[in-house]
Amino acid sequence: KDLRSTLQESAIREAQKLEELIKRIDKKEKELKKVRKELKKKSEELDQKVEQKRETMTQEEAKELILEKFYEVIEKELERYLNSEKREAVRILEKLWDKYRVSLEELVRERDREVVKLSEFLKKLGYVNPTCLSNQDIII
């Protein structure tokens, strides 16, 4: 009302926007009431059906239903435990793979290359007589 009474065009547009928003809110509230009413009705129907089933359930059916529930709980716990053990086994295998993925031959080749480099450095520094030294003479 205040916006409309100012007679400014921007205020009137704002008032129209607010009125549209109020209409949408009212519409959503009506839908919400309808859905809540349906939910309450369905909930009451479900309660009635559960109560009927309780009254007509035999001792054997109750026992079977309880055992079924226990089976589901046990199955979930076992699944969780097994998944945990699988993750641990995979972690151990990955650790072993990281540790042993480089072969002994490759390590020996790399060591020999480094020995050659070291002997060259020693020769350049004058610590080793170049005529007396070969790759086999250096023992690590």
Side-chain angles (χ1 to χ4, degrees):
K1 290 180 181 181
D2 288 342
L3 289 174
R4 291 217 182 258
S5 64
T6 61
L7 299 176
Q8 292 180 356
E9 190 175 320
S10 62
I12 293 173
R13 276 185 288 189
E14 187 67 26
Q16 288 174 344
K17 286 180 185 178
L18 292 174
E19 287 172 353
E20 287 297 317
L21 183 61
I22 290 172
K23 288 179 184 177
R24 288 195 326 227
I25 289 172
D26 288 341
K27 183 179 177 183
K28 292 295 180 182
E29 283 179 347
K30 287 178 184 178
E31 289 177 20
L32 181 62
K33 285 180 183 179
K34 183 179 177 183
V35 168
R36 283 185 178 159
K37 190 175 183 180
E38 287 180 30
L39 178 63
K40 185 177 178 183
K41 181 180 175 185
K42 296 285 183 183
S43 180
E44 288 172 358
E45 288 176 8
L46 180 63
D47 289 341
Q48 288 175 356
K49 289 180 180 181
V50 167
E51 192 59 40
Q52 286 175 348
K53 186 63 178 173
R54 269 192 205 148
E55 291 173 3
T56 60
M57 188 179 284
T58 65
Q59 187 76 17
E60 264 316 297
E61 289 175 330
K63 184 178 177 180
E64 187 176 322
L65 189 61
I66 291 171
L67 289 175
E68 215 173 280
K69 276 296 203 188
F70 281 139
Y71 174 76
E72 288 173 7
V73 170
I74 291 169
E75 185 178 33
K76 285 179 184 176
E77 284 299 311
L78 283 174
E79 188 78 24
R80 190 176 60 83
Y81 174 76
L82 288 173
N83 285 338
S84 171
E85 291 299 315
K86 285 177 191 175
R87 282 191 299 274
E88 181 65 20
V90 167
R91 187 187 66 76
I92 290 169
L93 289 173
E94 286 175 346
K95 192 174 180 181
L96 288 172
W97 170 256
D98 289 343
K99 186 175 182 179
Y100 294 110
R101 71 177 169 194
V102 179
S103 69
L104 178 61
E105 293 171 358
E106 191 174 333
L107 290 173
V108 169
R109 282 193 302 268
E110 186 177 339
R111 183 202 63 190
D112 291 343
R113 284 192 301 266
E114 295 302 320
V115 166
V116 168
K117 286 181 186 178
L118 180 61
S119 66
E120 289 173 7
F121 288 137
L122 291 174
K123 287 176 193 176
K124 288 179 183 177
L125 293 172
Y127 290 111
V128 178
N129 186 352
T131 59
C132 305
L133 188 61
S134 69
N135 288 343
Q136 288 89 12
D137 293 338
I138 298 177
I139 299 174
I140 295 179

